[in-house]
Amino acid sequence: MLSTEENIFMVIITGEFTVGMLGNGYIGLVNWIDWIKKKETSSIDYIFTSLAISRICLICAMVLNALIIVFYPEVHENDKIKIVNIFWTLTNYLSMWFATCLNVFYFLKVANFSHPLFLQLKWRIDRVVHWILLGCLAISLLISLIFAMTPKYELLKIAKHKRNFTESFHVSKIQYFSPVTIFSLLATVLFTVSLISFFLLIMSLWKHIKQMKLNVTGCRDPSTEAHVRPMKTVTSFLFLLFVYYLASLLMTFSYLMKERKLAVMFEEVIAIFYPSGHSLILIIGNNKLRQAFVRMLRCGKTACMM
C-alpha cells in the first residue's frame, strides 16, 4: 500500500514521463520524416535528433530509478542498482554534451564577430558537427566505464557508517574527492560553456542593435529576431540545467538526510523536469517543429469535423 506522498510522487512522475516522451519523440519523428523526404538533414536537425534520443533514454533511466525508490526501497538503499546508475550516467552526460553543442551551434550561427577564430569556427561547424557528436558519445562512454569500474562512493560509505549528521563531516577532505566530484566538475564545465555562449550572444545582439540605431533602422529586424530566439532557448536551458544540477547534487548527499526517501523523491521530480520541460521549449523555439505541430493540430481538427 503506497503512502500519500508516494501516490503524489507517482502521479507527477507519470505526467513528466508522458510529457518528456511525447516531446522528445515528436522532435525525433519530425526530423526523421523530414530526412526521409529530403534525403538529407541539416546540422541543427542532427543535433536536435541526437539530443531527443539521449533524453528519451535519460527519462527512462530516471523513471526506472523512481519506480525502484517507491516499490523496492531496500534495493535502492543497499546500492544494488549499479547497472541503472551506469545507464543514467551515460545518458545524463550524453544529454548535457548534446545540449551544450546545441547552444554553441546557436552562438556560431547567429552571432556576428570579426575575430578570425570565430569566423573559422563558424565556417567549419557544419563540416565537423557529426564528429563532435561522436566525440561527445565517446567521452560519455568513457565516463560510464570509469563509473562501472569504481566501487561505491566513499562519501556514501562514510554517511552510512556514521551515527549522526554532524559526525559525517568529521572526516578527511581527501575522502570527498571521488568520481562524484569529478563528474560534478565536468557538468560545471559544460554549464560554463553554455553560459559563455549566452553572454557572447548578448554581446553580439547589443552590437547589432547599436549599429541599427546608428543607421536609423528599426531594432526588430530579422537579424535581431535571429538573436532573440536562440537567446530564449539558451536562457531556458541554463535555468533548467542549473535546477537539475542542484537536484543531482542533493540526491548525491541524500544519504546524510534523515528523511532520505522523501528527499530523493522530491529531487527526482525536479530532475526529470529538466529533460521533459526543455523539449517543449525547443519545439516552441524552432520554426520547423512549431509549424509541424500547428499543421498536425489542423489535421486533427479537420479529421474530427469529418
Side-chain angles (χ1 to χ4, degrees):
M1 187 67 181
L2 298 181
S3 64
T4 303
E5 293 83 2
E6 289 173 338
N7 283 319
I8 295 173
F9 173 71
M10 290 303 300
V11 170
I12 297 175
I13 288 295
T14 302
E16 291 181 327
F17 174 79
T18 303
V19 171
M21 296 300 285
L22 289 177
N24 289 291
Y26 170 79
I27 293 173
L29 181 62
V30 170
N31 288 325
W32 179 73
I33 293 174
D34 190 60
W35 176 74
I36 292 295
K37 291 179 178 178
K38 298 180 179 178
K39 302 299 180 182
E40 60 180 5
T41 184
S42 63
S43 297
I44 187 69
D45 290 340
Y46 198 82
I47 299 175
F48 266 117
T49 305
S50 301
L51 180 59
I53 294 173
S54 68
R55 283 183 170 168
I56 288 174
C57 297
L58 175 61
I59 292 171
C60 289
M62 297 173 76
V63 170
L64 179 58
N65 186 61
L67 294 176
I68 293 173
I69 291 171
V70 174
F71 295 104
Y72 305 100
E74 68 283 353
V75 176
H76 195 271
E77 288 285 343
N78 296 328
D79 194 28
K80 295 179 179 179
I81 53 171
K82 192 158 189 177
I83 185 64
V84 177
N85 292 332
I86 293 171
F87 184 63
W88 173 84
T89 302
L90 172 62
T91 56
N92 175 50
Y93 281 94
L94 203 55
S95 173
M96 285 197 289
W97 273 107
F98 288 162
T100 304
C101 288
L102 178 63
N103 295 332
V104 173
F105 185 87
Y106 275 143
F107 159 67
L108 292 175
K109 285 297 182 181
V110 174
N112 290 310
F113 293 102
S114 57
H115 194 279
L117 178 60
F118 172 80
L119 296 176
Q120 182 72 7
L121 291 173
K122 189 182 184 75
W123 177 70
R124 292 181 60 85
I125 185 62
D126 286 318
R127 300 183 179 185
V128 300
V129 66
H130 301 84
W131 293 106
I132 292 174
L133 296 180
L134 286 174
C136 294
L137 176 60
I139 293 173
S140 300
L141 286 171
L142 178 61
I143 294 173
S144 302
L145 181 62
I146 295 173
F147 184 89
M149 297 173 62
T150 305
K152 288 184 182 180
Y153 301 135
E154 291 298 324
L155 177 58
L156 304 187
K157 289 181 180 179
I158 293 165
K160 288 180 180 179
H161 288 87
K162 292 298 177 179
R163 293 183 178 179
N164 55 54
F165 182 85
T166 306
E167 288 183 40
S168 62
F169 288 97
H170 294 121
V171 293
S172 172
K173 293 181 180 179
I174 277 264
Q175 291 175 294
Y176 286 89
F177 191 76
S178 63
V180 174
T181 308
I182 299 173
F183 297 160
S184 299
L185 288 174
L186 180 57
T188 304
V189 170
L190 296 176
F191 180 82
T192 303
V193 171
S194 295
L195 193 62
I196 292 172
S197 300
F198 173 72
F199 282 122
L200 289 174
L201 269 174
I202 292 178
M203 288 178 58
S204 177
L205 176 61
W206 178 77
K207 288 175 60 178
H208 174 73
I209 291 177
K210 187 177 180 180
Q211 184 178 3
M212 291 299 100
K213 287 182 178 180
L214 291 175
N215 296 333
V216 198
T217 308
C219 294
R220 305 300 292 181
D221 64 301
S223 182
T224 303
E225 293 294 334
H227 277 76
V228 172
R229 285 195 299 268
M231 283 177 58
K232 291 179 180 178
T233 303
V234 176
T235 302
S236 63
F237 166 77
L238 290 172
F239 173 75
L240 291 174
L241 181 60
F242 179 72
V243 174
Y244 174 74
Y245 182 63
L246 288 180
S248 298
L249 285 179
L250 289 173
M251 193 173 297
T252 300
F253 290 95
S254 61
Y255 284 88
L256 303 175
M257 302 177 185
K258 293 182 178 180
E259 297 293 334
R260 179 177 177 270
K261 184 177 179 180
L262 189 61
V264 170
M265 288 193 298
F266 176 72
E267 293 147 9
E268 195 78 19
V269 168
I270 297 176
I272 298 179
F273 183 71
Y274 156 66
S276 299
H278 192 238
S279 62
L280 300 181
I281 296 171
L282 291 178
I283 293 172
I284 295 172
N286 184 269
N287 285 331
K288 186 179 76 172
L289 296 174
R290 187 174 63 251
Q291 291 171 5
F293 184 73
V294 172
R295 287 196 300 269
M296 185 178 67
L297 290 179
R298 288 175 180 173
C299 292
K301 289 181 181 179
T302 305
C304 291
M305 293 175 63
M306 292 179 62

